[in-house]
Amino acid sequence: MSDDNRSTVEITLLGRSFVIACPPDQEAGLQRAARYLDRALQGVQTHSPTMATEKVALMAALNISHELLQARDENQAREAQLERLDQRLARALGNATPSS
């Protein structure tokens, strides 16, 4: 992607501003992700106010990774359940006698 198709977005994490290059159609998503990350960082920092910023960032990243993996596991379980329901429905419809 050329630089012509990129704009910059200013985000704030733990009170520090950062300017990030981002395609215009992804700015809202980047802002949303930055707000989520900032909340996670602030949460870790609140529980451990003397922790170094680098460790705060690592702990927040670990917490977010854990949330992501849990969500993926839950999604896979739902997909498996839907597949079982779909198979059950297909069997039930296959056993149904057509009405005349």
Side-chain angles (χ1 to χ4, degrees):
M1 178 175 282
S2 72
D3 289 338
D4 296 338
N5 294 333
R6 291 191 180 265
S7 60
T8 58
V9 175
E10 185 174 346
I11 63 169
T12 303
L13 301 171
L14 289 178
R16 292 182 56 196
S17 293
F18 299 89
V19 177
I20 309 290
C22 179
D25 63 334
Q26 295 181 19
E27 289 179 15
L30 175 61
Q31 290 284 4
R32 182 175 178 221
R35 285 190 303 272
Y36 188 86
L37 176 57
D38 190 48
R39 283 192 303 271
L41 291 165
Q42 288 179 17
V44 171
Q45 194 172 52
T46 297
H47 285 47
S48 303
T50 59
M51 187 181 287
T53 303
E54 182 179 281
K55 285 188 177 184
V56 169
L58 290 172
M59 290 303 297
L62 184 59
N63 290 341
I64 292 169
S65 296
H66 179 70
E67 290 173 9
L68 172 64
L69 293 174
Q70 276 187 316
R72 283 184 177 176
D73 290 346
E74 291 169 7
N75 189 45
Q76 287 176 345
R78 281 189 210 101
E79 286 178 2
Q81 182 180 21
L82 285 173
E83 181 63 30
R84 288 190 302 274
L85 288 171
D86 186 49
Q87 291 172 359
R88 186 173 167 196
L89 180 59
R91 283 192 307 272
L93 290 173
N95 291 336
T97 56
S99 57
S100 307

